[in-house]
Structure formats: structure tokens, C-alpha cells
Amino acid sequence: MRSCDVLIVGGGPAGSAAAWKLRREGVDVLVLDRERFPRLKLCAGWITPEVVRDLDMDLAAYPHRLLTFPRLRVHLGRLHVPVPCVQYSIRRFEFDAWLLERSGAPLEQHNVRHVAADAEGFVIDGAFRCRWLIGAGGTRCPVYRTLFRELNPRASELQIVTLEHEIQYDWQDSDCHLWFFDHGLPGYSWYVPKEQGWLNVGVGGIADRMKRGGQDIRQHWAHLTAMLEGGLAPGARYDPSGYSYYLRGRVDVVRRDNAFITGDAAGLATRDLGEGIGPAIRSGLRAAQAIVAGEPYRLEDVTGASVGSIARSMLGRATRASVFSGRRQTPGGGPVHGLRHRDQ
Ligand SMILES: Cc1cc2nc3c(=O)[nH]c(=O)nc-3n(C[C@H](O)[C@H](O)[C@H](O)COP(=O)(O)OP(=O)(O)OC[C@H]3O[C@@H](n4cnc5c(N)ncnc54)[C@H](O)[C@@H]3O)c2cc1C
């Protein structure tokens, strides 16, 4: 049986942020993930200045696609509002693999099925033993299912369903667009360009409300793609996939003895925009901090709303990173992203 001090189930943003912090403190960590990295993760890939700051990211040195938005374009019925702020997009396929590798933690490809607690800690599938256990396996995390679900049942009214596709596409508009409540959608749809000719489009809404209103997410997808065809993304071809996760509700118990849940496993995506990468990273860091410093594991500074971050970014007060100019240099010297922002 393989032993380690801390075992992390899931190598997404929550797991790799925890692993990164623990490794920096010299802790013996092992990450288990059922997928081989880089792996596909359905996600628009919008990240905030807080994410950049929490990860201590040097944007100029980030080796993959990263686009800076100088504004979001918010559409609400006939209202079309440009919101000046600094936000970013990455491709999850690249970002998650980079984060995990940067953590320096060993990774084993393993689909966790069985979690058992005993006097010395935890045994996973009869093959791994650890003293501390971090559940970072996303919505269907087996650590959540085994140790936390009964204490922390998820509220069905907070379940989000999505359809999305990320494609290679030579976009012309480099702003991020968000359409709220279009055609009665209890949520929003998005157009998120990525650096160097990638585009993510999708729709997300509250499952329960859609069901009660007799709505089908595929109808909303059809509305979105028809609108894009006539405007922002003519000629784009899609093959969308769906995924569901939970907005933040009451999260009463996130630690049991030496077991923790983080990120989507704890249901931490923001209530207003379903932003989950930032909360996953912050909670992973807090769980690691609790282990290395013997502190309580608290989620007080894991935000439950995204508007605050956007507002701070609008006011130019967000972080060191948000002041970043939106350009970074290629090894050859030229700016490689934000290139097509019309005002640059
Ligand atoms: C369509 C869509 C768009 C989104 N857009 C955004 C966005 O633009 N910005 C944003 O901030 N958030 C967005 N989110 C939310 C965001 O993707 C999640 O909140 C975030 O990925 C949570 O990170 P995590 O590390 O908790 O979980 P995950 O990223 O889901 O990682 C969990 C990992 O655990 C592994 N795993 C799962 N089960 C097991 C098992 N049994 N054994 C071993 N490994 C396992 C998985 O393979 C995975 O690698 C979006 C979500 C969706 C569905």
C-alpha cells in the first residue's frame, strides 16, 4: 500500500492549488486523478485578478494562451453595457495541466471509488493510505460522497446545467460578452475568446427553474448560436457538451477530522455568475494552510459572489495583477495577447 501524509483526490484547480502550497512547505503529497493530463474540462475559462494573485502567477511567463479583457460586454434585453474592468481567459486544457505540473506534486492516474476512515487516517481503494485527505474531485467527488454528503446535502435549486463548446475560431471581437436572461433563460450565455484563435461559447441556467418552466437547455443553445451566426461568430460549427455543478448554498461542514472538501466538491461556485475556479483555488489554499499551520479551515474569504471582484477591477483597486497592461511579450518581443483589442 502506498502511503503519504496528504492525499488529494482530484487535480483540478482546487487540488493543484492545495498541492502547490503543501509542496512549498515540504509536505509529502500525492494527487490522484482519474484522467490523464492535460485533460478536457468543460469551462468557459474566465479567470479573475484574484486568481492571478492567489496563484502568484507571472502573466508574462505563463506559457499558454491567456487573453486579457479590458471590458466585459453585458447584454440584458435591449441594454448593452460595456463594463470596463480587467479579467482574463485561459484554456482549461492548458491551465489545469500547467497548475498541476507547477505544484511539483506527484500525480497518479487512479479513479477513486472507495474511501474509508480508520484510527490512523484514511485508506483509498485499499491501495493508498494517508493521514490527511483533501476532496477536490469536483461535483461528483468521492470524498464528498462518502464523508460529507449526509452532513452537507446539495440543494437541488442551486444546480446549474450547461452546454458549451470550445473551438478553434478566428474571432474578430476580443471582448467577453455575457447575455443575461435571454429568451427567459434563468442564467446567462457567453462568448469568451481565447488567445490565438480559440473561442468558448455556452449557456448555463438553473436546472430546477428550467424544468419548472418547461425549458430545454438545447433551445437556449440554438438561440445563442443563431445569434452568434448573425453577428459575432459567423460560420462557426459546434458540437456542444453538457455538465452540471452547484452554486454556493449553505456549506455547513467542510472538514471532518483530517478530511476536507474544496472547490466544486464543496459546492463553492459563486451564486451570481457560477464562477468556480477562483473559489476552488482559494479553498484549496485554505485547506493546505489548515494542514501546515494547524489552523481551522474557514471559507470566510472564499467569495460567494463575483460582482465584487468585477467592481474592484472596475475601480482599478483589485490587485497588482489587475494593473497589468493587458500585453505581454513573446520571446521575440511582440505582444501576444490583447493584440486584437481595438483600443490597443
Ligand atoms: C460549462 C461551464 C463553464 C464554466 N465557466 C467558468 C468560468 O468561466 N470561470 C470560472 O471561474 N468557473 C467556471 N465554471 C466552473 C468551474 O469550471 C469549476 O467550478 C471548477 O473547475 C472547479 O474546480 P475543482 O478543482 O473544484 O474541480 P474540477 O475542475 O472539476 O476538478 C476535479 C478533478 O477531479 C477529478 N476526479 C473526479 N472524480 C474523481 C475520482 N473519482 N477519482 C479521481 N479523480 C477524480 C477530475 O478528473 C478532475 O480533474 C464553469 C463550469 C462549467 C460546467
Side-chain angles (χ1 to χ4, degrees):
M1 185 162 342
R2 177 152 179 197
S3 293
C4 58
D5 286 338
V6 183
L7 190 139
I8 301 174
V9 177
S16 50
W20 177 60
K21 182 160 180 65
L22 290 163
R23 281 304 306 139
R24 286 200 301 177
E25 300 290 336
V27 176
D28 169 30
V29 186
L30 175 65
V31 179
L32 300 181
D33 200 294
R34 66 181 174 202
E35 303 285 344
R36 184 187 298 275
F37 280 72
R39 56 99 174 87
L40 183 70
K41 167 72 184 97
L42 294 187
C43 180
W46 152 55
I47 60 169
T48 63
E50 279 80 359
V51 165
V52 172
R53 185 191 58 204
D54 279 358
L55 293 174
D56 212 2
M57 276 175 80
D58 175 356
L59 292 179
Y62 179 68
H64 303 293
R65 292 168 184 83
L66 189 149
L67 190 70
T68 305
F69 304 124
R71 67 184 77 78
L72 301 175
R73 291 193 180 269
V74 173
H75 308 275
L76 182 61
R78 291 186 186 164
L79 265 180
H80 305 283
V81 187
V83 180
C85 58
V86 179
Q87 304 283 317
Y88 309 96
S89 74
I90 44 81
R91 293 196 66 216
R92 289 291 300 270
F93 184 75
E94 300 167 343
F95 181 72
D96 287 19
W98 175 79
L99 269 186
L100 193 51
E101 193 181 340
R102 190 184 71 149
S103 77
L107 166 69
E108 203 156 306
Q109 192 179 359
H110 179 91
N111 186 5
V112 173
R113 294 173 196 282
H114 188 254
V115 175
D118 66 16
E120 287 144 53
F122 304 91
V123 175
I124 310 298
D125 292 333
F128 304 92
R129 167 170 284 293
C130 60
R131 184 163 165 232
W132 306 87
L133 178 65
I134 298 182
T139 305
R140 297 179 189 91
C141 180
V143 178
Y144 168 78
R145 281 204 317 261
T146 311
L147 301 175
F148 292 88
R149 183 161 56 190
E150 276 182 21
L151 300 167
N152 253 355
R154 289 182 177 142
S156 60
E157 63 272 18
L158 295 177
Q159 187 181 19
I160 295 288
V161 285
T162 60
L163 262 187
E164 68 116 90
H165 196 196
E166 187 155 299
I167 54 169
Q168 271 191 295
Y169 183 78
D170 187 22
W171 45 261
Q172 300 301 311
D173 186 327
S174 62
D175 290 342
C176 172
H177 290 254
L178 305 174
W179 294 268
F180 288 89
F181 315 127
D182 202 20
H183 287 86
L185 174 71
Y188 67 96
S189 40
W190 64 83
Y191 161 102
V192 179
K194 310 289 171 90
E195 189 183 43
Q196 294 170 2
W198 283 82
L199 176 66
N200 188 295
V201 300
V203 265
I206 302 208
D208 204 39
R209 281 200 231 157
M210 274 201 267
K211 198 171 163 195
R212 277 191 276 124
Q215 299 182 28
D216 186 328
I217 186 104
R218 284 168 296 194
Q219 290 165 346
H220 290 289
W221 174 264
H223 289 310
L224 172 68
T225 51
M227 176 177 63
L228 294 173
E229 177 64 31
L232 284 169
R237 293 289 163 260
Y238 310 97
D239 181 16
S241 306
Y243 190 74
S244 85
Y245 63 118
Y246 287 81
L247 300 180
R248 185 156 175 179
R250 283 187 58 178
V251 195
D252 292 329
V253 185
V254 285
R255 176 175 183 173
R256 279 184 78 184
D257 300 324
N258 287 346
F260 302 76
I261 42 170
T262 57
D264 277 5
L268 298 182
T270 60
R271 196 72 179 247
D272 49 0
L273 292 184
E275 173 213 343
I277 301 171
I281 287 167
R282 184 71 65 85
S283 59
L285 294 174
R286 293 293 169 264
Q289 177 72 12
I291 293 171
V292 291
E295 292 174 1
Y297 174 45
R298 292 218 177 92
L299 300 180
E300 273 110 1
D301 69 344
V302 178
T303 184
S306 300
V307 285
S309 164
I310 293 172
R312 280 192 298 282
S313 159
M314 281 173 74
L315 295 169
R317 287 197 279 115
T319 60
R320 212 168 16 95
S322 76
V323 184
F324 180 73
S325 71
R327 291 163 189 264
R328 63 188 177 135
Q329 301 301 311
T330 58
V336 292
H337 73 162
L339 253 185
R340 293 193 245 181
H341 292 167
R342 285 182 294 270
D343 57 353
Q344 287 180 353

